[in-house]
Amino acid sequence: MSLWKVSDSATQDLMVNYYQKLRENQGRSEALRQTQLEMIESGEYQHLYYWAAFIPSGNWTPMARLFLLYRRGALRLCVLS
């Protein structure tokens, strides 16, 4: 979620890095935090205008991997973490 208008190029970089961290099974809040810290350390996007508009909203845990399991005539939803 964004709190104000943001730079398109900075947002693209932020989101690409954020989703890469989610794919590495980092929690959603931690992935955003690490991405924002990387932007602060970069020379190009260190000003808070580029990264501070984004806040976590909702579930902060790592994304679960869901799959359907068919066993003994029953369909079950399983969660892998």
Side-chain angles (χ1 to χ4, degrees), residues 10-79:
T11 299
Q12 178 183 352
D13 290 349
L14 183 141
M15 289 299 159
V16 167
N17 290 334
Y18 172 71
Y19 281 100
Q20 285 174 344
K21 289 173 181 13
L22 289 181
R23 290 187 66 184
E24 295 166 1
N25 207 32
Q26 288 189 21
R28 290 168 253 207
S29 291
E30 183 61 20
L32 181 59
R33 178 181 176 275
Q34 288 300 320
T35 300
Q36 289 172 326
L37 289 173
E38 289 172 11
M39 293 183 82
I40 291 169
E41 293 171 359
S42 77
E44 187 175 3
Y45 298 129
Q46 76 184 105
H47 191 277
L48 62 89
Y49 164 77
Y50 296 108
W51 54 266
F54 296 94
I55 60 168
S57 177
N59 192 342
W60 54 269
T61 60
M63 302 289 284
R65 295 189 186 121
L66 302 176
F67 70 97
L68 295 175
L69 177 65
Y70 184 78
R71 180 181 283 171
R72 296 187 182 141
L75 194 60
R76 301 168 192 220
L77 179 64
C78 299
V79 178

